[in-house]
Amino acid sequence: MSYAAPLPARGTFAAWRAAARRAISHRIAPDEIDWAGGGGLFAAAPLPAAPGPHVAHVPESFVKLAGSVIWHSAPERFALLYQALWRLDAGETQALSQADPLGRRLNLMAKAVGRDIHKMHAFVRFRELPGPGPRRSFAAWFEPEHNTLEPGSSFFARRFADMDWLIATPGLTARFEAGQLSFGPGGARPDLPEDASEALWATYFANIFNPARIKLSMMRSEMPKKYWRNLPETRLIPEMLKDAEARVARMQAAGASPARPGAAPVSTRYRAAMPAAPEVPQSLTEAREAARHCRRCALCEAATQTVFGRGAPDAGLMIVGEQPGDREDLEGEPFIGPAGALLRGLLQEAGGAPESVWLTNAVKHFKFTPRGKRRLHQAPDRGEVIACRWWLGLELQHLRPRLTLALGATAAFALTGRDAPLAPRRGTVETGLHGGPVLLSWHPAHALRAPTPQQQAQIRADLRADLALALRMAEPDPA
Ligand code: URA
């Protein structure tokens, strides 16, 4: 008897796990299952729907390994994993070891998948799309070596939680809108040269991005998605959708009469008329320049200037404060007022040099209320912090610090997305929205404002200790 166990292109791990569990519960041997779907000469039966009597026990390490290997592009990955499962269930504990050819192969495959995900996180280049909505939209084209968009997307969902984005790949498209991540069929690489201008790329993506115009649910009911990937004509779906959209626009423009034969497609006209899409800065220098013109929130109206980060562009440690103060606003440099003087002094006492780290703030404009001749500091609100995360994200992306130190609750929220009270978190490391480690500490102004000398001394001591730890954690790995 042979069995066919075709697996979907999305949710593949959960589907393989469920199928493998059922198969082994019936003691179906590895060579009896065709994971590619049983397209051979002899009809293959589907796996039994109900579980059998046998209960397999496998180590957690296998589940973890399978959770990576499943995204490899090798067609035999499902069969190899099932062989490993079969052998583990038979008590062959060495089946996953490096000494075993199968174990070695699976470990190499898992490594390749990990590398591929890492590359995607590093090399996906978003283009901003022109659009009217309050959330900004970005899109990117990427060609991973393996099927890594699904496991790799949660990183982008955390990192770019406050914007809409789309990543198109040949096999799958990930779409993040209003905080919801979903997947759809992949598409063909757009017929644009490598060095096409941002505006051309933006036009291409703008045509495929707006799902409000696409009746995907109707298409799904006409042709269930699970079949899309195996039908040659479905390669044309993105093109068809694009064209349908252009047709609708043309019909609307022409008062619902059919399009004039030979009329230029809407995308061509749009391309010509569209102003260049704002470019995503490709370096710290470009980001600093772009930030000078930032109007992402209302703080730019009253502040003197944008105060972008400063320091060594190859720094392993990035220190993030709340926002520039009065002096910083006037002079355009972070941490040069009283809190900055305290921070720089403690950094030196901890063995670091202020010019060898990157100093920046969660919010790049000074927020204040005028009181007579004075400008009184006001904490930024969540919306302002979220709007400004764009710049912090660019600093993180281009600097790639080994450690980020968050000073105070605002920086902690900007970097981790969590606004739980700071006191129990101080001195601990959390994973930032960018995927890297974030050490949490007090803001130096907290020491300046503390009511008693004892409290001030304690906060300084904590901050000094955290700075020393941060410097150690940010050291390069010994080669
Ligand atoms: N406080 C901050 O958080 N940042 C500065 O740059 C100055 C004071």
Side-chain angles (χ1 to χ4, degrees):
M1 174 66 148
S2 72
Y3 297 90
L7 294 168
R10 285 184 290 289
T12 319
F13 182 51
W16 178 84
R17 210 173 157 182
R21 256 203 204 124
R22 255 179 304 130
I24 205 148
S25 72
H26 289 277
R27 309 281 304 133
I28 297 173
D31 57 6
E32 290 181 83
I33 308 176
D34 177 0
W35 293 97
L41 204 52
F42 301 102
L47 289 172
H54 178 71
V55 180
H57 293 286
V58 289
E60 193 49 38
S61 57
F62 172 70
V63 181
K64 196 158 168 259
L65 184 75
S68 281
V69 170
I70 213 85
W71 307 113
H72 199 280
S73 55
E76 65 275 24
R77 62 197 183 280
F78 308 121
L80 293 174
L81 284 170
Y82 191 69
Q83 273 174 36
L85 173 63
W86 182 261
R87 286 177 53 193
L88 289 167
D89 186 46
E92 280 190 57
T93 49
Q94 81 290 1
L96 298 187
S97 81
Q98 294 289 352
D100 187 285
L102 177 61
R104 197 162 50 246
R105 174 128 188 241
L106 290 174
N107 280 297
L108 281 175
M109 289 168 86
K111 263 212 185 104
V113 166
R115 262 200 313 274
D116 204 42
I117 293 178
H118 184 72
K119 270 200 229 150
M120 174 166 32
H121 292 167
F123 298 132
V124 159
R125 290 286 172 268
F126 285 103
R127 269 114 173 148
E128 182 154 13
L129 305 182
R135 282 168 72 90
R136 303 179 76 192
S137 303
F138 293 81
W141 168 260
F142 192 70
E143 289 177 73
E145 215 173 300
H146 301 286
N147 307 305
T148 42
L149 184 60
E150 188 175 337
S153 286
S154 53
F155 166 86
F156 295 104
R158 285 196 308 275
R159 173 80 172 67
F160 300 118
D162 50 346
M163 40 188 94
D164 292 339
W165 51 260
L166 167 147
I167 302 173
T169 72
L172 197 66
T173 296
R175 204 182 271 280
F176 187 77
E177 270 168 316
Q180 289 300 317
L181 182 61
S182 62
F183 296 94
R189 184 189 166 85
D191 189 18
L192 294 177
E194 270 303 328
D195 57 356
S197 73
E198 293 290 325
L200 284 185
W201 278 102
T203 304
Y204 164 73
F205 286 125
N207 276 292
I208 62 171
F209 195 51
N210 188 345
R213 289 181 267 173
I214 297 170
K215 296 276 178 283
L216 280 177
S217 55
M218 204 179 87
M219 288 195 55
R220 262 183 226 119
S221 67
E222 294 293 324
M223 184 197 291
K225 250 185 181 172
K226 65 179 176 174
Y227 299 120
W228 284 20
R229 113 192 126 106
N230 294 326
L231 298 174
E233 62 271 31
T234 56
R235 282 180 216 286
L236 300 176
I237 283 176
E239 279 306 311
M240 287 160 34
L241 294 178
K242 222 162 76 178
D243 191 47
E245 182 191 314
R247 269 206 321 273
V248 168
R250 265 182 267 151
M251 285 171 70
Q252 276 169 351
S257 58
R260 185 163 46 85
V266 162
S267 59
T268 315
R269 285 186 271 135
Y270 176 43
R271 189 177 293 175
M274 195 182 73
E279 291 195 0
V280 179
Q282 299 295 315
S283 68
L284 275 177
T285 313
E286 282 184 26
R288 177 192 301 284
E289 176 53 29
R292 290 202 313 121
H293 311 284
C294 178
R295 303 189 62 80
R296 303 175 80 88
C297 76
L299 293 186
C300 60
E301 303 294 343
T304 310
Q305 58 188 311
T306 306
V307 181
F308 200 71
R310 280 274 155 161
D314 59 348
L317 174 60
M318 173 159 151
I319 300 181
V320 184
E322 183 195 73
Q323 61 168 336
D326 186 78
R327 278 245 348 244
E328 288 84 4
D329 171 72
L330 295 174
E331 297 189 29
E333 267 209 47
F335 288 109
I336 53 166
L342 175 58
L343 175 68
R344 287 167 193 262
L346 290 174
L347 185 60
Q348 273 162 342
E349 286 172 30
E355 57 285 356
S356 66
V357 302
W358 186 262
L359 289 170
T360 192
N361 285 297
V363 171
K364 309 285 194 256
H365 281 123
F366 180 34
K367 181 174 181 181
F368 61 91
T369 26
R371 185 71 52 81
K373 284 193 178 160
R374 295 180 58 214
R375 303 190 297 172
L376 297 187
H377 161 274
Q378 264 198 302
D381 63 30
R382 276 175 80 97
E384 288 150 356
V385 174
I386 290 171
C388 216
R389 242 191 220 140
W390 165 250
W391 302 115
L392 193 58
L394 284 170
E395 287 175 295
L396 285 161
Q397 180 187 331
H398 293 297
L399 203 77
R400 300 203 161 272
R402 282 181 284 279
L403 181 79
T404 309
L405 176 64
L407 301 179
T410 301
F413 170 64
L415 287 161
T416 67
R418 290 185 61 216
D419 55 6
L422 184 62
R425 301 159 71 197
R426 190 237 114 218
T428 66
V429 176
E430 295 182 9
T431 301
L433 294 166
H434 62 295
V438 178
L439 176 63
L440 305 167
S441 191
W442 306 123
H443 192 284
H446 187 43
L448 299 178
R449 290 191 207 119
T452 68
Q454 288 83 352
Q455 282 168 327
Q456 290 179 8
Q458 183 58 53
I459 297 167
R460 280 168 201 247
D462 287 347
L463 186 48
R464 191 185 300 110
D466 293 340
L467 284 163
L469 173 62
L471 289 165
R472 278 201 305 281
M473 288 181 69
E475 272 171 15
D477 287 334

